[in-house]
Amino acid sequence: MGRCVIVGGADINNYDFICGVLEPEDFVIFCDSGLKHLAKLGVRPGLIVGDFDSHENPNLDVETIVLPCEKDDTDTVFAVKEGVRRGFKDFLLIGVVGARFDHTLGNVSILLYLDSLGLKGLIIDDYSEMSIISGSPVEITGDYAFFSLLNIDGSAHGVNEINAKYPLTNAEITCDYQYGISNEVLPGKTAEVSVNEGRLLLVKTRK
């Protein structure tokens, strides 16, 4: 089974880059106002979901799930859960980070939800890529200008950063002291980051 791509309604400015990360076999779910990106992304929806309070229902010949306006899950969260229900194990979220900070933070938390299920989740926006580090080490190439480790899930112990400008060994990062921001990969090296206990949000900022 391929990857499930969730398209939200936050602004996308660099369509060329975003289109470049999409793959022909992706199953794409458009969420309500995410439909404003339909033409510029140039992909056919596999599914449309939403309460259509911020974008009219296009009534396309595409499977569409109409949601009530009053509900616990946002349209984006519902779309992710629907993708999980359909058996997808790899998720890419685009158009989910933007001016609405509450929605942005809620969407970032989706990465924790997917990680708790043992599934892969990635958020890509115009500037950065976000994912969760938990059990396995992650390598970071020098293609990125900066990378940051943020604790959004309690305390993280045994944090290690190797081949980085600011290395860490068996460190702790807590929610109330976020000192793991704006690190850099050493020239000619590949950095490796890991956490022995807990989870961290990895934000890689592109050059």
Side-chain angles (χ1 to χ4, degrees):
M1 180 173 285
R3 181 176 61 176
C4 183
V5 177
I6 309 293
V7 183
D11 288 343
I12 296 174
N13 297 306
N14 190 347
Y15 281 100
D16 288 341
F17 176 78
I18 297 299
C19 288
V21 302
L22 298 177
E23 301 172 355
E25 62 271 21
D26 287 335
F27 182 81
V28 185
I29 304 178
F30 282 82
C31 307
D32 203 333
S33 59
L35 287 161
K36 70 183 182 183
H37 303 304
L38 181 60
K40 290 187 177 180
L41 290 179
V43 296
R44 177 173 173 79
L47 174 66
I48 297 171
V49 304
D51 53 24
F52 301 106
D53 62 346
S54 53
H55 192 286
E56 66 179 12
N57 187 337
N59 294 309
L60 299 176
D61 185 22
V62 173
E63 181 184 0
T64 301
I65 299 176
V66 179
L67 304 173
C69 290
E70 296 182 0
K71 56 188 181 301
D72 291 332
D73 291 342
T74 64
D75 297 335
T76 306
V77 169
F78 179 91
V80 171
K81 288 184 175 180
E82 183 63 20
V84 171
R85 190 185 69 81
R86 296 183 183 214
F88 289 97
K89 300 183 183 303
D90 187 3
F91 289 78
L92 169 64
L93 287 77
I94 58 177
V96 300
V97 175
R100 282 287 302 270
F101 179 75
D102 50 350
H103 278 276
T104 293
L105 189 58
N107 290 335
V108 169
S109 296
I110 290 173
L111 297 177
L112 293 172
Y113 166 71
L114 291 171
D115 181 74
S116 70
L117 298 176
L119 305 178
K120 182 180 179 182
L122 176 67
I123 292 176
I124 293 182
D125 64 14
D126 291 324
Y127 311 101
S128 59
E129 302 172 19
M130 287 166 265
S131 59
I132 296 297
I133 295 179
S134 51
S136 302
V138 173
E139 292 186 342
I140 305 169
T141 67
D143 297 329
Y144 299 91
F146 306 100
F147 70 91
S148 300
L149 292 179
L150 296 166
N151 194 326
I152 58 173
D153 187 44
S155 292
H157 303 275
V159 180
N160 300 289
E161 300 187 33
I162 303 170
N163 291 331
K165 183 176 181 178
Y166 307 107
L168 287 176
T169 302
N170 199 31
E172 178 184 9
I173 298 178
T174 61
C175 287
D176 55 2
Y177 185 29
Q178 304 280 9
Y179 63 87
I181 297 175
S182 290
N183 209 336
E184 301 175 36
V185 179
L186 290 177
K189 300 288 187 178
T190 297
E192 181 181 283
V193 296
S194 61
V195 56
N196 292 329
E197 181 183 345
R199 299 186 290 182
L200 292 170
L201 176 69
L202 170 64
V203 182
K204 297 184 291 186
T205 304
R206 296 189 299 275
K207 292 182 178 178

